[in-house]
Amino acid sequence: MSTGQGLGFGAMTAATLEGLPLHQRGVAGAVNVTAQQIGNSVGLAILVAVSTGVSGGATNPADQLSGFHAAYWVAGAIGLLGGLTRTAHQVSQGGHRAISLRGEAVTAPAGHT
């Protein structure tokens, strides 16, 4: 999970701050970090609930393994769903957005770079 968070946080920060005036970036960054913290807490709670539910609250490590497997499958499904949702949204917008080296947002039609 840490690798996914490490890869995702930079992109989330860039998306949050994209197109904002300098005087609003501090508040936007704070909201972004708060959303990350809440998302981590809720996500972990969901995975623990799945793991405990599948393993039946077993305390033996061998019996807990089935719960861990189920929790990882759920985490993978949520990640895949998020990626597909983002891709569908990007396609529905007819292109992609990028940030130029000067900091302004650049929009290019799909298939053009």
Side-chain angles (χ1 to χ4, degrees):
M1 284 192 279
S2 297
T3 302
Q5 290 174 348
L7 293 172
F9 285 174
M12 286 175 55
T13 302
T16 300
L17 301 179
E18 178 183 346
L20 287 177
L22 289 176
H23 69 278
Q24 293 179 339
R25 289 186 179 183
V27 172
V31 170
N32 181 43
V33 170
T34 302
Q36 290 173 358
Q37 295 295 323
I38 292 171
N40 286 334
S41 299
V42 171
L44 180 61
I46 290 170
L47 296 180
V48 167
V50 168
S51 178
T52 303
V54 169
S55 68
T59 57
N60 180 358
D63 295 335
Q64 291 176 339
L65 192 57
S66 62
F68 295 156
H69 286 168
Y72 281 119
W73 277 108
V74 168
I78 290 171
L80 181 62
L81 180 63
L84 291 174
T85 301
R86 174 63 180 121
T87 301
H89 176 71
Q90 188 172 5
V91 168
S92 72
Q93 298 299 315
H96 67 276
R97 294 188 63 151
I99 299 175
S100 74
L101 294 177
R102 292 186 300 263
E104 67 250 2
V106 177
T107 303
H112 297 33
T113 55

